[in-house]
């Protein structure tokens, strides 16, 4: 069972029972899950987590869906690797990579979708749907295949091939919409009103988004229940960014970090900041779609939506649902936000591949280029413990780096090889 | 008749324009404001529109034509 009391409006505080609902009926503010932390603190411990499965469901007591028989393709429990090569290049001696590109459907979205799909079945839905620029579509289709329920996924028709095939292979109802970004967005929002489906990022959103907290929990657990000094995170809606922060603070408040006293969650579970959480949160967006980074650098109190136009399609969300909350996290954590130039994205992908042997998609290129900038500017000092989140796999966006293919073309003879090889040396 | 929930974002030059009042006057739409924040240079309003679907459609097109941004409530429904 899940230890939750219901939902609560982030803006006006009105409470609702745990239903498939994402906006407050009264003020239209976003709804968030309310946890029963008193009970959670009695059942959860470093030990209970260590005994759990090697997936996000080891943290089931901290997730808003029943975790005893979840829809699970083994999302999470991905490697945290000391990045010696990349660290050396950037002058960082204490750099780690959270390699979430190795999730079952090859992005961190498996974390959020596993929670949303489990919750959707709890609610009795028979169809799970989403609108996606790729990674979410792949993950929803995969989880539905596993659960044996129908998936309906909407994608813009100009997506990368790797993402289209990566979703289609699980045999969902795949709807490719030939329209502008805004048109796809509007259509899906109307569909969500009319069809009795679990839309993972609409009526399931309060539950769905919580899955990203596990990116915070895992890093803490893998660092022996310590938190890093800095994290570097790519953002689209800003949800993952805010949930990593929430995850760190939950661990602190529950007394699950080494040497940290537990403390109360206060009046607002979603904005609690335990003083022991000193991690600086650094957000990376691509310049072609950087509404949050722009709002932060211009010190705006609001995020102005933009029309996305970026190579990093998985980060190309023009009107980010959690933008304003993400800015509050940057402020509280004394972090930063940066709009990575489009021309740097491919360099970031190559840098990670050549120094660490990890092939990430365009979102990862954004993240690595942002990390480089943070190191060069001195915002991250060489000995500070830093974790960079690599959230998606390079095989989904091979078009972006096609230029690297430049083999030695030879005839099938020793002579031909030796000639070419000499030339190449 | 139907209801639609939307967010209007106003930039500097439009903050002082009575766009919502005009929307209710020019079209057969009832406007119901739920939450808003208006700064000196920027403002947004979250509201519910009640009316015939075609009337709401034309009304929103008119709002967009004034330069005010019209977005679905609670951010984009497309995700990464
Ligand atoms: C690979 C990848 N990284 C990061 C993100 C950003 O996540 P969020 O929308 O929670 O900010 C997405 C999707 O949105 C993604 O597909
Ligand atoms: Zn409310």
């Amino acid at each position: 069972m899940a230890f939750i009391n219901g939902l609560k409006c982030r803006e006006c505080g009105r409470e609702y029972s745990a239903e498939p609902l994402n906006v407050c009926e009264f003020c239209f503010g976003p709804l968030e899950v309310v946890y029963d932390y008193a009970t959670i603190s009695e059942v959860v411990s470093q030990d209970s987590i260590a005994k759990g499965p090697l997936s996000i469901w080891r943290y089931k007591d901290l997730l808003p869906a029943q975790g005893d028989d979840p829809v699970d393709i083994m999302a999470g429990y991905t490697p945290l690797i000391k990045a010696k090569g990349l660290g050396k290049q950037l002058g960082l001696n204490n750099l780690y990579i959270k390699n979430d590109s190795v999730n079952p459907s090859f992005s961190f979205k498996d974390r959020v979708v596993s929670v949303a799909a489990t919750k959707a079945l709890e609610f009795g839905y028979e169809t799970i749907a989403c609108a996606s620029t790729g990674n979410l579509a792949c993950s929803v289709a995969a989880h539905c295949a596993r659960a044996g329920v129908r998936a309906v996924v909407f994608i813009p028709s100009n997506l990368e091939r790797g993402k289209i095939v990566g979703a289609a292979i699980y045999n969902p109802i795949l709807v490719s919409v030939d329209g502008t970004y805004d048109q796809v967005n509007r259509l899906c929002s109307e569909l969500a009103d009319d069809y009795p489906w679990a839309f993972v990022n609409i009526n399931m959103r309060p539950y769905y988004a919580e899955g990203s907290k596990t990116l915070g929990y895992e890093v803490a657990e893998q660092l022996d229940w310590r938190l890093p000094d800095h994290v570097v995170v790519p953002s689209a809606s800003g949800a993952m960014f805010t949930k990593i922060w929430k995850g760190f603070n939950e661990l602190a408040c529950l007394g699950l970090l080494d040497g940290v006293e537990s403390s109360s969650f206060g009046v607002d579970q979603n904005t609690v900041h335990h003083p022991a959480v000193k991690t600086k949160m650094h957000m990376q967006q691509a310049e072609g779609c950087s509404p949050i980074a722009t709002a932060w650098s211009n010190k705006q109190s609001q995020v102005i939506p933009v029309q996305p136009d970026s190579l990093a399609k998985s980060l190309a969300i023009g009107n980010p649902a959690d933008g304003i909350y993400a800015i509050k996290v940057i402020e509280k954590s004394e972090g930063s936000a940066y709009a990575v130039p489009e021309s740097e994205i491919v360099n970031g992908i190559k840098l990670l591949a050549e120094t660490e042997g990890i092939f990430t998609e365009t979102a990862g290129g954004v993240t690595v280029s942002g990390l480089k900038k943070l190191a060069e500017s001195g915002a991250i000092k060489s000995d500070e413990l830093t974790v960079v989140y690599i959230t998606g796999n390079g095989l989904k966006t091979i078009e972006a780096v096609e230029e690297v293919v430049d083999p030695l073309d030879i005839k099938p003879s020793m002579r031909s090889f030796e000639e070419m090889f000499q030339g190449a040396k | 008749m139907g209801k639609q929930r939307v967010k209007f974002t106003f930039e500097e030059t439009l903050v002082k324009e009575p766009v919502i009042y005009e929307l209710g006057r020019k079209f057969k739409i009832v406007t119901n404001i739920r939450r808003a924040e208006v700064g000196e240079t920027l403002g947004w309003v979250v509201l519910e529109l009640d009316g015939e679907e075609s009337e709401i459609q034309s009304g929103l097109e008119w709002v967009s034509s004034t330069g005010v941004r019209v977005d679905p409530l609670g951010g984009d429904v497309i995700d990464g």
Side-chain angles (χ1 to χ4, degrees):
Chain A
M1 63 167 292
F3 301 113
I4 62 176
N5 290 334
L7 300 171
K8 186 174 175 181
C9 174
R10 208 153 168 167
E11 294 298 330
C12 76
R14 263 184 181 66
E15 298 194 13
Y16 297 82
S17 54
E19 287 164 42
L21 193 66
N22 68 322
V23 281
C24 171
E25 293 297 329
F26 182 75
C27 79
F28 296 170
L31 300 180
E32 296 275 351
V33 173
V34 182
Y35 288 91
D36 173 7
Y37 287 120
T39 306
I40 292 174
S41 69
E42 283 165 20
V43 297
V44 78
S45 64
Q46 291 180 357
D47 241 24
S48 74
I49 291 169
K51 288 196 187 103
L54 301 180
S55 77
I56 62 163
W57 295 100
R58 65 202 280 102
Y59 309 104
K60 66 177 177 162
D61 296 332
L62 294 157
L63 293 173
Q66 64 79 20
D68 297 321
D69 183 23
V71 182
D72 188 10
I73 57 175
M74 296 303 274
Y77 210 71
T78 55
L80 182 75
I81 304 154
K82 176 103 196 231
K84 294 198 189 114
L86 180 61
K88 194 165 166 208
Q89 280 270 325
L90 302 180
L92 300 176
N93 306 324
N94 217 353
L95 176 66
Y96 288 79
I97 296 168
K98 179 61 173 164
N99 185 7
D100 233 36
S101 72
V102 299
N103 269 302
S105 83
F106 308 106
S107 84
F108 91 98
K109 289 288 178 191
D110 288 334
R111 297 172 183 274
V112 279
V113 173
S114 183
V115 175
T118 303
K119 199 69 193 174
L121 296 200
E122 256 181 70
F123 285 134
Y125 284 103
E126 286 162 7
T127 299
I128 303 179
C130 73
S132 165
T133 60
N135 286 324
L136 180 60
C138 299
S139 187
V140 165
H143 281 87
C144 286
R146 173 81 177 165
V149 298
R150 186 168 67 164
V152 183
V153 301
F154 296 86
I155 54 169
S157 54
N158 66 351
L159 267 194
E160 299 100 338
R161 213 59 206 157
K163 288 179 178 165
I164 300 178
V165 176
I169 191 67
Y170 305 107
N171 198 23
I173 296 178
L174 182 66
V175 188
S176 167
V177 188
D178 176 18
T180 64
Y181 176 87
D182 278 344
Q183 288 167 329
V184 180
N185 207 30
R186 194 161 316 125
L187 169 68
C188 292
S189 127
E190 283 170 30
L191 284 165
D193 283 342
D194 289 357
Y195 284 81
W197 297 339
F199 263 89
V200 294
N201 53 329
I202 307 179
N203 53 355
M204 291 293 125
R205 189 171 175 87
Y207 312 97
Y208 160 84
E210 290 287 287
S212 285
K213 295 190 304 185
T214 59
L215 276 166
Y217 303 152
E218 270 177 38
V219 160
E221 187 181 358
Q222 287 168 315
L223 292 171
D224 292 324
W225 301 107
R226 283 179 305 151
L227 298 182
D229 299 315
H230 300 271
V231 296
V232 183
V233 179
S235 274
S237 73
M240 172 181 42
F241 185 81
T242 58
K243 297 299 180 179
I244 290 173
W245 174 252
K246 180 175 176 182
F248 289 163
N249 280 283
E250 283 182 316
L251 294 181
C253 291
L254 289 165
L256 291 171
L257 297 174
D258 269 3
V260 173
E261 287 289 319
S262 65
S263 80
S264 118
F265 279 80
V267 283
D268 186 358
Q269 295 183 353
N270 278 299
T271 55
V272 65
H273 179 196
H274 190 294
V277 178
K278 298 204 170 73
T279 308
K280 292 188 166 64
M281 303 284 302
H282 302 284
M283 171 189 293
Q284 309 308 321
Q285 295 202 290
E287 200 174 30
C289 184
S290 52
I292 310 178
T294 304
W296 188 77
S297 56
N298 295 344
K299 300 192 166 48
Q300 287 158 209
S301 62
Q302 298 155 26
V303 175
I304 304 174
V306 300
Q307 187 64 36
D309 179 16
S310 174
L311 185 63
K313 291 203 169 70
S314 51
L315 301 181
I317 304 302
N319 184 17
D322 286 277
I324 198 69
Y325 305 119
I327 286 184
K328 288 182 183 151
V329 168
I330 299 172
E331 283 168 1
K332 254 194 224 169
S333 73
E334 297 173 27
S336 68
Y338 177 53
V340 172
E342 291 289 324
S343 59
E344 288 295 320
I345 297 176
V346 168
N347 295 339
I349 298 177
K350 288 190 195 164
L351 179 60
L352 183 67
E354 290 170 17
T355 56
E356 293 295 337
I358 295 174
F359 182 19
T360 185
E361 66 146 280
T362 46
V366 169
T367 318
V368 172
S369 294
L371 168 71
K372 181 162 179 260
K373 169 91 177 176
L374 286 163
E376 285 168 357
S377 72
I380 300 179
K381 308 267 175 323
S382 61
D383 289 326
E384 289 178 317
L385 177 53
T386 301
V387 173
V388 57
Y389 283 89
I390 297 302
T391 51
N393 196 295
L395 291 174
K396 292 220 183 130
T397 59
I398 51 173
E399 297 86 343
V401 288
E402 208 79 70
E403 68 187 42
V404 298
V405 182
D406 183 19
L408 302 179
D409 287 317
I410 63 167
K411 297 278 174 317
S413 71
M414 281 302 269
R415 218 182 90 207
S416 173
F417 170 72
E418 276 159 8
E419 266 174 29
M420 292 301 286
F421 191 62
Q422 290 303 329
K425 270 205 299 194
Chain B
M1 296 292 275
K3 288 189 199 305
Q4 196 167 332
R5 298 164 170 191
V6 285
K7 179 176 182 180
F8 293 168
T9 307
F10 304 73
E11 297 211 32
E12 184 142 23
T13 52
L14 290 161
V15 162
K16 299 198 181 97
E17 297 294 317
V19 174
I20 296 171
Y21 167 75
E22 291 282 340
L23 175 66
R25 231 178 42 121
K26 282 190 179 357
F27 302 87
K28 285 206 200 80
I29 297 176
V30 179
T31 58
N32 185 346
I33 297 178
R34 297 303 183 91
R35 202 150 44 83
E37 189 176 315
V38 182
E40 247 166 60
T41 57
L42 199 70
W44 57 259
V45 179
V46 159
L47 69 173
E48 188 163 62
L49 307 176
D50 205 337
E52 294 292 347
E53 197 175 312
S54 59
E55 199 68 11
I56 293 181
Q57 206 56 44
S58 326
L60 290 179
E61 273 161 28
W62 173 78
V63 174
S64 298
S65 75
T66 67
V68 171
R69 259 198 82 100
V70 180
D71 289 289
L73 195 71
D76 286 345
V77 304
I78 302 186
D79 210 323

